[in-house]
Amino acid sequence: MLNDQAMSVVFDGSPLKAMQSSHSHTQTALSAQELSQEIKSFISGIDVVQGRKLSIREHARCAVRVLRSVPACREAVLEHLRGVYDEHVSTFLHNLETEGNATSGVSSNLEDIIQEVHGVLSEFIHLNPRAWAPLVSTWAVDLLGQLSSKHAGRRVAPHSSTLNELLQLWMSCAATRSLMEAYSQCLAAMLAWCPDACVDALLDTSVQHSPHFDWVVAHIGSAFPGTIISRVLACGLKDFCSHGTKDQGLMLMGADKGSRVPKIGSVVGILGHLAAHHSDSIRKELLRMFQESLSPSSPLSPTSSSTSWESSPQLRRAAVPFLLQLAAMSPNLFGAVSAELVELLRPPVLLQLQALLQGIPREELDNMLGLAVHLISQSPSGGARVLKFLADTATPASVIISGPTPSPHEGVREGCDRLLQMLLLHLHKLVFNRSDGVEINPHNSASSQHQRVIPFLEELRSHISQLCAETLRLERKRHLWLHQLLCLLAVYGGPSVATETLCQLLTQARNPDELALAWQLHATLSSCMAGLVSAAVTRCVAQIHTQTLGPRQLRQLLLNLAAAIQSQDEERRAPGGAQSSMAVQVGSAISGHLHDFCPLLLHGDAAVCHAAVRLLSCSPLPRTSSPAHLLLLSRAAVTHFFLALRRRGEVGKMGRDAGQAAESVSGSVLLLSRFAAYSPLTLKAVLQQLVEGALHKGNAELFGGQIADMSGAPVSSPTVSPDLGASLLDINCRFGTTVNFSGSVWSVFHAGVIGKGLKSRTASQLPDPSGVLQNIQTLLAVVVQCCSSSGLNGTRPQPNPDEPPPINAEAAKVIAVTLVEHVCPDVANGELSWPPEEHARTTVERDIHIRRCFEAHPVLFPLLQVVAAGRPALCYCSAVLRGLLATLLAHWEASREMSSTDSPWHLQASCLLVFCMGEGQLLPPVLANVHETFPYLNPFEVRLLLVAVWEYVRGNGPLPQKFVFSSEKGVFFRDFSRDGDVARYVAPIHSVLHKNIDRLGHLCWRFQL
């Protein structure tokens, strides 16, 4: 009997040592008579001494004693023990099904016999492994197969059980566990001298009793992974070669279950079980088999067996198809080797593979390619790497690519080309047949839920950006393949993937040829996806808001969108209509997002700003838009205009990028004119912001101006006016903190501080005159273009196409009101009539402020000229004109110079003022020409003529009601014949002319009534 410690059984093989220790003591040898009785009892099954039938337990113990005493009877004894093991297994499973307790009844009575038999066999194997290990291993593995097949399908071991569940069930049974441990001991003993016989017996039994026997092979493989994995693959390869690929295909398609199942199914199941803990070993063995099948045949190494598959040319040729079939049946195995397999496929290996495949019949080769295509399409990972390998290898060698070294053999390239074409065709069928013939509707989420998943395309969804970048390289066939794949990926992924793909192409394209690929993609997808362009533009806007694009990418995106819109003319001329073209759709989508693009006008990168101007200046404006968006667009466009002027001056000094800066200014002028012509609101906003911006202290230097304080005097620099500290006197001396007593005797003159002297004038650095003149001309150009637009009063007929369009009166009024608000904020809009000259004494402070503003901002006079051209808008500047004329009169009256030219600024201001008043028809022509005489007169005479001007305007107020609109010319004009007699105002002029006839004789004809 076995001792108690031999009854404890675990799965890790420790029972073997316990059983061996239980039989280590020396048994009492049987006499010849006792041995004869034991043999007779074993053969007959009857106790020859007592004459009764032996029980199963007694008969089994008798067999053990015979086996121990007469080893020659081992085959008969082992055959008899099959029934004992079967009885124990039947009772064990019956107890599980009925009571759920496997340790009751007969099972517990036979378990000690099982353990005793195991101890005897273990002892024999240990003492003489060469004699006993082959026999016991074959008996144990065959009995395990019989027991697994006989009891398969029982309630406790259903067919649907997994390999781990079956392994746990059978290893909890003492009989099957004993057989498993005996076989493991035999295998461990035979590894050194004959592993093939043991493993072949295992796999032969696996084929005979598969799939019920797979749990045995899986458990043995876990104990001996290195040996079992290689032998399982070798055995599967031999069976695959003997059956042929056609049988394997039938097996994949689900052939008759009654036919003999090839070993490859068992190979897949065994390796799948081992992959949980030995995936690295399986991966190495699969790759080794692939490499060995390609390498030239070599003599067997001393460690190789005589049955090694490497020595058979037929098996070596079948290794690659076998591995393909194996990968097709087990995605896990394919995933384990696909990554490293691609790395192995270098040009030398590809040449070896091509040489190997040349000997395969055409039909089988087509089947292999089809199977490879199926594997790639169903690969859940590594798809991007496989695609890159195929594209790099199939690309003609004359093209310079960034991938691996081009294939040295044309046949390899053609093979990859064919494989890639087959893959695209297969993916095309999968994509468009996912709904089983139902029309694909990407916008229908309910139908897309039942569509089949394509792992290869699913994995490529995260590589859209890289695919687009590779496609845009325009490398012969390569970009055609990738573009076709992008189309399939967009259809497969639906609107989201299609939108992302189109957005990536619009962002990454660098020239018209690359941008054409986006048009081709849209042409392909437009039939099944509506609103794709609008969604792509919306996605681009989202990228702008999230700042996911760098300056270079953002600039390229804006330039591409602008190029798309600018191609509308060509699209309209093409047949098929313009409304369906991508260019018109892009323009329509951009017009709805102008308020999202306008902040880019103020981007920190000058190139991005320039691209934004190009886009906005060519994009169509929306039919309707909210006032908030219109004001935002106007403000951004005006701000960019002044930034462009400043940047043009800076790059002009440095001598680089002058062309781009000039183009940016031109685009900004075009953009402002388009916004101004859009609606009265935008016209008013643009003009108002242009005038305010030109007079702003931050932009004053662009137009030759100086920063002035509230009183209009230039601000002193710290070096000229030292800091006096925080004092009440200093605060009170500031115009903004004093009470305004204008019009009363309490008017305050800020000429200086008692004890400190007069206010010092700033010694500011004069800007470049040419740059200032250019900026003023640019500002006047954009203002004139805006005022000539039809934003307020609609389109008017142009009398003479050769003449410039007239200035819009309402637009000029906006400029006039803005000028008055900035130059003299405290003037009421109703102050149009002029008081007597003596009344100017009550507005001295305001008049001085007006004069200082004109001194600090030279751009005011050109803006006044624009206002004068838009008659009768100059009437609304009456207060400013009156204040400026009053200060000029005071200056000329106090001047003691010999000639007016000794006061250059006052002379220029006087001339410009009278010219503007004449242009605005506030003065009749005879008075409007007096400014031509000013340079030839002395200060007193200039004052006499200016007084005449004052008196005329006072007597004939500058009222808009005096102007009449001429429909023929499209402008307002004033009929001076309705006013009083002009002769009395001309008398001082004639007197001055007569006095200076020697110098003014040539101008007398200008002052005739």
Side-chain angles (χ1 to χ4, degrees):
M1 296 295 294
L2 299 175
N3 53 18
D4 294 338
Q5 66 177 353
M7 297 296 293
S8 62
V9 180
V10 292
F11 293 105
D12 57 358
S14 58
L16 184 60
K17 298 180 181 179
M19 295 178 185
Q20 288 177 349
S21 62
S22 65
H23 293 277
S24 58
H25 61 279
T26 304
Q27 300 268 345
T28 304
L30 297 177
S31 60
Q33 183 179 0
E34 292 175 341
L35 182 59
S36 176
Q37 293 175 355
E38 291 290 344
I39 294 174
K40 291 179 180 179
S41 298
F42 169 71
I43 295 175
S44 62
I46 299 175
D47 191 346
V48 295
V49 178
Q50 300 180 1
R52 62 180 179 82
K53 185 177 180 180
L54 297 175
S55 62
I56 296 178
R57 173 184 170 80
E58 292 172 343
H59 200 175
R61 193 173 296 279
C62 177
V64 172
R65 289 195 293 269
V66 171
L67 180 62
R68 185 183 297 276
S69 302
V70 187
C73 301
R74 56 189 180 182
E75 293 185 0
V77 173
L78 294 177
E79 186 65 26
H80 171 75
L81 291 178
R82 288 176 180 266
V84 177
Y85 277 77
D86 182 48
E87 179 65 24
H88 178 272
V89 171
S90 299
T91 305
F92 171 79
L93 295 178
H94 177 73
N95 290 338
L96 285 180
E97 294 172 345
T98 56
E99 304 176 8
N101 185 5
T103 60
S104 61
V106 180
S107 176
S108 61
N109 293 330
L110 291 179
E111 189 167 350
D112 58 341
I113 301 299
I114 297 296
Q115 293 176 352
E116 186 175 353
V117 171
H118 180 81
V120 173
L121 294 178
S122 177
E123 184 177 358
F124 284 156
I125 295 171
H126 178 70
L127 293 177
N128 190 0
R130 288 185 177 270
W132 284 91
L135 176 66
V136 174
S137 64
T138 303
W139 170 77
V141 76
D142 184 60
L143 181 56
L144 281 172
Q146 292 180 1
L147 294 176
S148 300
S149 298
K150 178 181 178 180
H151 299 287
R154 298 187 62 163
R155 184 162 58 87
V156 294
H159 292 289
S160 60
S161 299
T162 63
L163 208 58
N164 289 329
E165 292 174 349
L166 291 176
L167 184 60
Q168 184 177 3
L169 171 68
W170 289 116
M171 292 300 290
S172 62
C173 176
T176 53
R177 184 172 63 246
S178 172
L179 293 174
M180 183 71 76
E181 292 171 352
Y183 179 81
S184 299
Q185 185 180 4
C186 294
L187 181 59
M190 297 172 64
L191 283 179
W193 48 278
C194 186
D196 290 340
C198 191
V199 176
D200 288 344
L202 177 68
L203 295 182
D204 289 339
T205 307
S206 174
V207 173
Q208 183 179 358
H209 298 284
S210 179
H212 314 300
F213 187 72
D214 290 349
W215 68 272
V216 177
V217 184
H219 181 73
I220 297 300
S222 299
F224 306 94
T227 301
I228 295 300
I229 292 174
S230 60
R231 297 307 306 166
V232 163
L233 288 174
C235 182
L237 175 60
K238 294 176 183 178
D239 183 77
F240 177 84
C241 188
S242 62
H243 279 74
T245 57
K246 294 184 179 181
D247 293 342
Q248 306 300 331
L250 292 175
M251 189 257 304
L252 275 179
M253 299 299 294
D256 185 10
K257 295 184 178 179
S259 61
R260 181 174 180 265
V261 181
K263 290 183 181 181
I264 191 170
S266 297
V267 172
V268 171
I270 295 168
L271 295 180
H273 173 76
L274 297 178
H277 300 287
H278 304 283
S279 59
D280 191 60
S281 300
I282 295 175
R283 176 180 55 81
K284 292 180 180 179
E285 190 60 33
L286 290 174
L287 294 175
R288 188 194 69 83
M289 174 174 281
F290 174 74
Q291 291 175 304
E292 289 293 333
S293 66
L294 300 180
S295 60
S297 302
S298 58
L300 296 177
S301 60
T303 59
S304 301
S305 60
S306 59
T307 59
S308 177
W309 65 271
E310 291 92 340
S311 59
S312 171
Q314 183 180 4
L315 293 179
R316 294 167 67 89
R317 286 193 300 270
V320 173
F322 168 71
L323 291 176
L324 280 176
Q325 194 73 41
L326 199 65
M329 297 178 64
S330 176
N332 293 332
L333 295 179
F334 176 67
V337 300
S338 60
E340 292 195 20
L341 184 60
V342 173
E343 297 297 330
L344 286 177
L345 295 178
R346 298 299 180 184
V349 178
L350 290 174
L351 287 176
Q352 295 175 355
L353 182 61
Q354 183 201 17
L356 178 68
L357 298 180
Q358 284 179 347
I360 298 179
R362 179 74 178 185
E363 182 180 358
E364 293 185 12
L365 184 60
D366 292 340
N367 293 337
M368 286 180 58
L369 291 177
L371 188 57
V373 168
H374 171 76
L375 286 175
I376 296 174
S377 65
Q378 299 302 318
S379 173
S381 61
R385 184 179 299 180
V386 174
L387 177 65
K388 187 176 186 305
F389 162 75
L390 291 177
D392 289 341
T393 310
T395 302
S398 59
V399 179
I400 301 176
I401 59 176
S402 60
T405 305
S407 174
H409 197 279
E410 187 66 17
V412 175
R413 190 199 64 78
E414 293 177 356
C416 286
D417 189 345
R418 181 184 176 190
L419 183 62
L420 193 55
Q421 296 283 4
M422 293 178 62
L423 175 62
L424 292 174
L425 180 61
H426 181 67
L427 291 175
H428 187 276
K429 294 178 181 179
L430 292 179
V431 168
F432 288 96
N433 295 333
R434 285 189 301 158
S435 301
D436 297 329
V438 181
E439 183 180 357
I440 295 178
N441 183 9
H443 298 281
N444 189 352
S445 59
S447 63
S448 62
Q449 292 177 354
H450 302 88
Q451 294 176 354
R452 205 166 36 187
V453 175
I454 305 176
F456 178 75
L457 295 180
E458 283 290 334
E459 199 263 342
L460 288 183
R461 292 180 65 168
S462 60
H463 298 82
I464 292 179
S465 177
Q466 295 87 335
L467 287 177
C468 292
E470 290 293 323
T471 305
L472 294 174
R473 291 166 59 186
L474 301 180
E475 294 178 350
R476 295 179 67 178
K477 291 184 177 181
R478 182 190 187 93
H479 81 278
L480 299 177
W481 298 326
L482 296 180
H483 190 270
Q484 184 179 355
L485 181 62
L486 284 176
C487 294
L488 293 176
L489 190 59
V491 175
Y492 171 78
S496 61
V497 176
T499 300
E500 182 182 359
T501 304
L502 185 58
C503 181
Q504 290 290 342
L505 291 177
L506 289 175
T507 304
Q508 299 184 26
R510 297 179 298 274
N511 53 60
D513 293 335
E514 296 180 1
L515 192 58
L517 294 179
W519 309 159
Q520 297 173 15
L521 178 69
H522 173 260
T524 304
L525 302 178
S526 59
S527 59
C528 60
M529 294 184 188
L532 180 59
V533 172
S534 177
V537 172
T538 303
R539 184 179 180 87
C540 293
V541 171
Q543 290 182 341
I544 293 174
H545 286 316
T546 55
Q547 299 180 357
T548 56
L549 299 177
R552 182 174 300 179
Q553 292 177 315
L554 182 56
R555 169 185 173 274
Q556 194 62 55
L557 171 62
L558 298 177
L559 292 178
N560 290 337
L561 292 177
I565 297 175
Q566 290 172 346
S567 64
Q568 289 188 24
D569 295 337
E570 289 77 6
E571 293 290 339
R572 289 193 179 103
R573 287 193 293 266
Q579 296 302 321
S580 60
S581 67
M582 183 177 177
V584 175
Q585 295 182 43
V586 171
S588 177
I590 293 295
S591 65
H593 292 279
L594 290 182
H595 59 281
D596 294 308
F597 288 99
C598 69
L600 298 178
L601 294 172
L602 311 179
H603 196 274
D605 192 292
V608 175
C609 297
H610 176 63
V613 168
R614 287 190 57 182
L615 174 62
L616 294 179
S617 60
C618 67
S619 62
L621 299 177
R623 294 183 178 180
T624 58
S625 183
S626 65
H629 288 168
L630 293 178
L631 293 177
L632 180 64
L633 288 170
S634 303
R635 187 173 298 276
V638 171
T639 306
H640 174 267
F641 171 74
F642 292 110
L643 290 176
L645 291 181
R646 186 177 301 277
R647 189 174 294 118
R648 182 177 64 179
E650 293 175 352
V651 300
K653 295 177 181 178
M654 294 184 293
R656 59 181 180 85
D657 298 334
Q660 180 178 344
E663 186 179 354
S664 182
V665 172
S666 302
S668 183
V669 172
L670 176 61
L671 178 61
L672 287 173
S673 61
R674 295 185 70 240
F675 281 170
Y678 177 70
S679 69
L681 176 62
T682 55
L683 174 59
K684 182 178 180 180
V686 168
L687 290 176
Q688 184 176 357
Q689 292 167 14
L690 278 174
V691 174
E692 291 177 350
L695 301 179
H696 189 269
K697 61 182 181 180
N699 301 322
E701 61 179 7
L702 294 175
F703 308 99
Q706 300 176 359
I707 303 176
D709 59 11
M710 291 297 296
S711 65
V715 177
S716 302
S717 61
T719 57
V720 177
S721 179
D723 186 12
L724 301 178
S727 66
L728 182 61
L729 177 62
D730 182 50
I731 295 175
N732 289 333
C733 287
R734 296 178 184 174
F735 177 74
T737 59
T738 60
V739 181
N740 187 7
F741 295 103
S742 299
S744 68
V745 297
W746 300 107
S747 297
V748 180
F749 296 92
H750 299 281
V753 180
I754 297 175
K756 300 295 182 180
L758 294 175
K759 285 185 177 179
S760 58
R761 309 298 289 182
T762 56
S764 58
Q765 182 179 1
L766 295 178
D768 181 23
S770 60
V772 170
L773 182 60
Q774 185 181 18
N775 291 338
I776 292 178
Q777 291 176 348
T778 306
L779 176 64
L780 293 180
V782 68
V783 170
V784 169
Q785 287 188 27
C786 293
C787 292
S788 303
S789 63
S790 58
L792 287 174
N793 293 338
T795 303
R796 297 173 179 171
Q798 186 68 24
N800 189 356
D802 297 332
E803 296 181 359
I807 300 297
N808 188 291
E810 293 296 326
K813 180 181 176 181
V814 172
I815 300 177
V817 173
T818 306
L819 285 176
V820 173
E821 290 178 352
H822 185 275
V823 174
C824 192
D826 60 342
V827 173
N829 293 329
E831 296 186 23
L832 300 183
S833 61
W834 283 40
E837 181 190 355
E838 294 79 9
H839 183 72
R841 299 174 183 175
T842 62
T843 58
V844 172
E845 184 177 4
R846 187 180 73 181
D847 297 342
I848 292 176
H849 171 74
I850 293 174
R851 190 204 66 194
R852 286 177 175 173
C853 285
F854 275 84
E855 288 179 347
H857 299 285
V859 75
L860 283 175
F861 279 114
L863 292 176
L864 271 182
Q865 295 177 15
V866 176
V867 174
R871 297 187 293 268
L874 194 61
C875 297
Y876 300 96
C877 293
S878 178
V880 175
L881 299 177
R882 185 173 69 245
L884 181 59
L885 183 54
T887 58
L888 293 175
L889 286 172
H891 171 76
W892 295 122
E893 182 180 7
S895 176
R896 296 298 179 264
E897 304 294 342
M898 296 301 297
S899 174
S900 61
T901 56
D902 294 331
S903 300
W905 186 88
H906 295 84
L907 175 61
Q908 181 186 16
S910 301
C911 295
L912 291 175
L913 178 61
V914 176
F915 171 80
C916 290
M917 295 176 68
E919 180 70 19
Q921 291 191 350
L922 300 186
L923 299 174
V926 65
L927 288 176
N929 297 330
V930 296
H931 68 280
E932 299 179 11
T933 65
F934 289 169
Y936 305 99
L937 304 179
N938 58 46
F940 177 75
E941 293 171 336
V942 172
R943 180 184 180 280
L944 286 178
L945 299 184
L946 291 179
V947 169
V949 170
W950 182 291
E951 291 298 329
Y952 179 85
V953 178
R954 184 179 69 85
N956 302 275
L959 302 178
Q961 295 83 353
K962 296 183 178 182
F963 290 80
V964 180
F965 180 73
S966 173
S967 58
E968 296 179 0
K969 296 183 178 181
V971 294
F972 287 87
F973 72 96
R974 181 177 177 179
D975 186 5
F976 289 99
S977 61
R978 297 181 179 182
D979 297 334
D981 185 16
V982 186
R984 63 189 183 96
Y985 303 105
V986 182
I989 302 176
H990 290 167
S991 175
V992 172
L993 287 175
H994 292 159
K995 182 181 178 182
N996 301 280
I997 191 64
D998 56 333
R999 289 176 294 173
L1000 301 178
H1002 63 287
L1003 297 176
C1004 290
W1005 67 274
R1006 301 277 288 168
F1007 303 99
Q1008 295 180 0
L1009 296 177

